[in-house]
Amino acid sequence: MIKAQRGKDIDLHIRGIDELSIIHDSVLIEACNTSFQMHLQIAPQDFISSYNWAQAISGPLLT
């Protein structure tokens, strides 16, 4: 649907230390670039306080 709505292939350009510029017929390449996750490992005894802090700050960060 995205490709049909755009009416052309996907033009992807990523700038940074390295640069990537491609034109592709699938949205999969662009979709791979839309999610970035980090996972923090903490000690079991610190879980409760870390979880509570994460919940407290997530609201303001997402607005």
Side-chain angles (χ1 to χ4, degrees), residues 9-29:
D9 287 339
I10 308 302
D11 185 10
L12 181 64
H13 189 89
I14 301 173
R15 294 185 189 116
I17 294 173
D18 293 326
E19 192 167 323
L20 174 66
S21 183
I22 61 172
I23 297 174
H24 201 274
D25 64 347
S26 172
V27 296
L28 183 60
I29 300 291

Side-chain angles (χ1 to χ4, degrees), residues 18-63:
D18 293 326
E19 192 167 323
L20 174 66
S21 183
I22 61 172
I23 297 174
H24 201 274
D25 64 347
S26 172
V27 296
L28 183 60
I29 300 291
E30 187 174 358
C32 291
N33 190 44
T34 60
S35 177
F36 176 75
Q37 298 178 9
M38 293 178 61
H39 298 271
L40 175 65
Q41 293 183 342
I42 58 171
Q45 64 270 17
D46 296 332
F47 175 78
I48 294 172
S49 63
S50 296
Y51 179 81
N52 289 339
W53 274 109
Q55 294 300 309
I57 65 172
S58 64
L61 289 175
L62 296 174
T63 58

